[in-house]
Amino acid sequence: MRTPIVAGNWKMHKTVGDTVKFVKEFRSVVKDVTGVEIVIAPPFIAVHAAVEAARNSNIGVSAQDLYWERQGAFTGEVSAAMIAEAGAEYVIIGHSERRTLFGETDAMVNKKVAAAFGAGLTPIVCIGETLDQRERNETYAVLDRQIKGGLDGVTADQLAQLVVAYEPVWAIGTGRNATPAQAGEAHAHIRKRLQGWFGADAADRCHVIYGGSVKPDNIAELVRHPDVDGALVGGASLEVGAFAEIVFRTRA
Ligand code: 13P
């Protein structure tokens, strides 16, 4: 049985001070929650403060990206080992904003996934089609390409620990979430592909979570589908009340 995961991707929101304030409030609201893995992903600069503020709570911390080299002359970049040392346990890789705005390719995603595993981090690998691609009936071909390219060389054991986030690009920040049926169909397809490529056991342990305009009022229906193992939440993870509500309704 997969324990659902609810992860908040804060993107470029919240300072160190805002992060500590959020975690202090949030941890007491969700302190009795069991049966859901709760994760927050603040900007790099607030990762360590988030880890400290969340110590001895049921909240895990993620980074939003990494660079695959261990160290060196890569101005502005942060390595997997640095993230792990700061106390984070997860790292988001290949978010559509990174792909679109910063030119990230499946080959780069692949190197980042390897680096994350190398440092003992759990990768949350984002995949998803654009509206154009969906309208041209290319959704599954795009997902297949992103999975194959991004997860090349990943072992079955690693896949079992990995989190795939299906985030249809047209649903991100638009208020237009995929319907539970659309999400369920895509997740079932992803699971089927993972089974084919990595074996049934690893694919059944791998989490596939949904992202794109997840809110307190649509989460319950989304996670009702057996292949939807939780959510990657953007906007609604910035407020303690809304994010906590999403956590509660994931468990229900
Ligand atoms: P929104 O929930 O704001 O649509 O963002 C989704 C997302 O990109 C999470 O990574």
Side-chain angles (χ1 to χ4, degrees):
M1 234 356 244
R2 297 179 295 268
T3 303
I5 298 174
V6 173
N9 174 11
W10 288 357
K11 310 190 178 184
M12 201 173 73
H13 293 282
K14 296 194 191 292
T15 62
V16 173
D18 298 336
T19 300
V20 172
K21 185 167 175 284
F22 179 100
V23 176
K24 277 189 177 155
E25 246 179 87
F26 183 65
R27 64 178 286 160
S28 66
V29 180
V30 298
K31 69 177 186 323
D32 296 324
V33 172
T34 54
V36 184
E37 251 178 77
I38 308 169
V39 180
I40 52 166
F44 278 134
I45 199 160
V47 163
H48 186 61
V51 168
E52 290 297 323
R55 203 169 284 290
N56 299 320
S57 77
N58 52 352
I59 304 163
V61 177
S62 175
Q64 299 176 13
D65 186 25
L66 58 76
Y67 191 61
W68 55 81
E69 295 289 349
R70 250 197 100 71
Q71 57 182 21
F74 305 104
T75 301
E77 296 296 327
V78 176
S79 75
M82 291 170 182
I83 293 165
E85 204 249 12
E89 297 165 281
Y90 305 80
V91 59
I92 297 171
I93 296 174
H95 190 278
S96 76
E97 286 146 21
R98 302 245 23 118
R99 293 176 188 260
T100 315
L101 303 172
F102 303 100
E104 237 172 74
T105 62
D106 291 329
M108 290 159 77
V109 168
N110 188 241
K111 289 190 196 182
K112 292 185 177 195
V113 168
F117 279 125
L121 295 168
T122 297
I124 302 173
V125 181
C126 303
I127 59 174
E129 81 287 0
T130 62
L131 187 56
D132 248 23
Q133 291 165 331
R134 174 162 282 263
E135 284 171 349
R136 289 198 305 262
N137 278 325
E138 292 171 7
T139 298
Y140 292 166
V142 170
L143 299 180
D144 291 356
R145 194 168 64 229
Q146 290 174 334
I147 298 170
K148 233 182 160 42
L151 305 189
D152 185 36
V154 166
T155 66
D157 277 355
Q158 288 173 330
L159 185 85
Q161 297 162 40
L162 184 136
V163 180
V164 174
Y166 169 59
E167 298 207 304
V169 179
W170 47 272
I172 296 177
T174 57
R176 178 183 167 193
N177 64 293
T179 63
Q182 285 171 325
E185 248 174 49
H187 282 235
H189 172 84
I190 293 164
R191 179 98 48 209
K192 197 174 78 196
R193 282 291 183 265
L194 295 175
Q195 284 166 345
W197 290 330
F198 295 91
D201 180 53
D204 289 346
R205 283 160 61 204
C206 175
H207 284 79
V208 185
I209 63 176
Y210 169 79
S213 296
V214 171
K215 308 285 176 215
D217 63 4
N218 59 26
I219 183 68
E221 249 198 296
L222 286 162
V223 293
R224 198 167 300 144
H225 192 284
D227 281 308
V228 179
D229 306 320
L232 184 56
V233 186
S237 71
L238 296 171
E239 275 177 57
V240 169
F243 193 44
E245 203 54 49
I246 290 171
V247 169
F248 298 145
R249 293 185 190 182
T250 297
R251 190 189 39 174

